[in-house]
Amino acid sequence: MTTIFELVKDPYERKARVIPGLLVALPVLVPLVCVYGAKHPLLTGVIGLLGGCGAIYALSSVARGRGKMLEETLVEKWGGMPTTIALRHRDKFLDTISTQRYHTAITAKLGIAMPTADEELADIGRADDIYIGATKRLRELTRTNKRLLLKENIAYGFHRNMLAMKPVGIISCLMGTIYGLLIGKILQITPPYFFPINLVDPGLASGITLLISLALLAAWLFYFNQHAVRRMGFVYAERLFECLPSLPVSKPKKRDDLGAP
């Protein structure tokens, strides 16, 4: 119970990990509670007991694990994390003025000497190591930022985990849709199988189930994709680097002293 409380209490855990897991289960849970909850209070109690005994933690763990696996694939496809890409001279996500401004701020605030464009091209791997190390250090120094930066980090984690759970979510929504059609007597297992007239008044349980299932299905199919995750990643990168002016000044280090994180 302590673990569950910590999950719900922490905003990142709750919004980026727990909610994606719950949204996957929602199309199946809604008809169960709506149809059988009032008649079978034991079922409602069992569902609550499962949630309290670890189902919420299990769902969040699955979402987090699948999200991390997906992130590895996306990073390989993108050629690096958005925070790394944004600092590269050779990538054009940011204009050259902004890139140079962030490099100058990192050197002044973090004490890390950043590669020039020529140095980056001469040793791309070494340059990326410096960018990754600078980003990690900046995250460490901005962990207390509970405002916009945390919100953008949550948004990135949420979109990543939702995309990772997409196959399971689609199956869950299809199951919820079929079940909603059945309890609304729009579909039947005996001929005639389809009664479209019942769509006019499917009943409360069927209507809620269909509404939630179809809305989530549309979101899985048309919104949660790699482009959405990448966009959220770059928004977070910009917000992270915008925190540089508020940091104290550090003594610059020599490039020879810098290693891979």
Side-chain angles (χ1 to χ4, degrees):
M1 291 299 295
T2 302
T3 305
I4 301 299
F5 177 74
E6 290 298 327
L7 282 175
V8 176
K9 180 181 177 182
D10 184 88
Y12 183 88
E13 293 283 351
R14 182 176 67 252
K15 296 178 181 179
R17 295 174 182 171
V18 174
I19 290 180
L22 291 177
L23 287 177
V24 168
L26 191 60
V28 178
L29 290 178
V30 166
L32 288 177
V33 175
C34 288
V35 176
Y36 304 109
K39 298 178 181 178
H40 300 85
L42 181 61
L43 176 63
T44 305
V46 169
I47 293 175
L49 183 62
L50 287 174
C53 289
I56 294 177
Y57 178 76
L59 286 171
S60 68
S61 296
V62 171
R64 180 182 185 277
R66 290 180 62 88
K68 285 295 184 182
M69 291 175 59
L70 174 67
E71 187 175 75
E72 293 176 1
T73 302
L74 293 179
V75 168
E76 184 176 354
K77 181 178 180 179
W78 297 338
M81 289 290 287
T83 47
T84 303
I85 295 173
L87 290 177
R88 291 172 179 163
H89 294 283
R90 63 187 185 278
D91 281 302
K92 301 304 179 185
F93 168 73
L94 293 175
D95 58 275
T96 56
I97 300 298
S98 296
T99 301
Q100 188 58 51
R101 181 162 54 88
Y102 290 145
H103 279 218
T104 301
I106 288 173
T107 300
K109 300 291 187 174
L110 306 184
I112 299 176
M114 302 294 279
T116 64
D118 291 338
E119 290 171 337
E120 180 182 299
L121 290 176
D123 194 341
I124 292 175
R126 174 69 171 174
D128 279 355
D129 280 345
I130 295 175
Y131 299 150
I132 293 171
T135 301
K136 285 184 176 179
R137 180 56 180 157
L138 182 55
R139 285 200 190 98
E140 293 172 0
L141 296 174
T142 56
R143 289 192 188 280
T144 57
N145 189 323
K146 300 297 183 181
R147 292 180 292 179
L148 186 58
L149 183 59
L150 176 60
K151 292 179 181 179
E152 299 299 351
N153 191 25
I154 290 173
Y156 169 75
F158 173 78
H159 281 75
R160 181 200 65 191
N161 293 341
M162 286 292 284
L163 179 59
M165 298 295 284
K166 185 173 184 175
V168 185
I170 290 175
I171 293 173
S172 176
C173 288
L174 292 176
M175 291 174 60
T177 300
I178 293 173
Y179 193 60
L181 293 173
L182 288 173
I183 61 179
K185 297 183 179 181
I186 301 161
L187 286 181
Q188 294 192 18
I189 57 176
T190 57
Y193 301 104
F194 185 52
F195 290 84
I197 190 64
N198 288 339
L199 283 169
V200 178
D201 185 16
L204 181 61
S206 176
I208 293 176
T209 301
L210 290 173
L211 178 63
I212 292 176
S213 298
L214 293 175
L216 284 175
L217 181 62
W220 293 117
L221 292 175
F222 302 112
Y223 178 71
F224 293 106
N225 52 42
Q226 294 184 17
H227 297 293
V229 179
R230 192 172 191 268
R231 182 172 63 253
M232 292 299 125
F234 278 113
V235 170
Y236 169 74
E238 288 188 282
R239 298 295 86 77
L240 180 66
F241 297 135
E242 287 173 1
C243 293
L244 284 165
S246 63
L247 298 178
V249 177
S250 298
K251 181 180 179 181
K253 300 177 182 178
K254 296 180 180 179
R255 289 194 182 92
D256 293 341
D257 296 334
L258 296 174

